[in-house]
Amino acid sequence: ADGIIHIESPVQRSYTLGNFFDLWGQPLSRDRVGPAKGKVTAFFNGKVYLGHLRQLPLGNHTQIQLDVGAPLVAPESITFGSGL
């Protein structure tokens, strides 16, 4: 419900937003996020991201926001509690 993705893996490697959507079994593109369809605007750590959505890296405290359609919602900043 909070939108936080937690990754635990026995293998040390880089993960992407595309990996997450593949595991979730949902589409991800510039005009679709899961079941939502429309123009997708991505924010990566508070800045507009123009690259390939599926290649967005997932890392410690990375903040990704995907807005579908209009109006856009200003990027939100999350404060992570201790231990996260």
Side-chain angles (χ1 to χ4, degrees):
D2 59 16
I4 294 175
I5 299 171
H6 177 82
I7 299 171
E8 289 187 29
S9 173
V11 178
Q12 185 75 8
R13 61 167 277 217
S14 297
Y15 291 92
T16 66
L17 191 60
N19 296 141
F20 173 74
F21 273 78
D22 290 345
L23 286 172
W24 194 27
Q26 294 294 319
L28 176 64
S29 68
R30 280 289 171 184
D31 61 2
R32 189 160 181 193
V33 175
K37 295 179 182 180
K39 180 183 177 200
V40 177
T41 303
F43 295 94
F44 181 72
N45 291 330
K47 297 180 180 166
V48 173
Y49 179 81
L50 300 175
H52 198 287
L53 297 180
R54 297 187 56 78
Q55 295 175 357
L56 271 164
L58 300 178
N60 290 340
H61 301 168
T62 299
Q63 295 187 36
I64 298 170
Q65 178 175 317
L66 303 174
D67 291 356
V68 180
L72 296 180
V73 176
E76 298 181 25
S77 181
I78 300 169
T79 302
F80 293 90
S82 63
L84 291 178

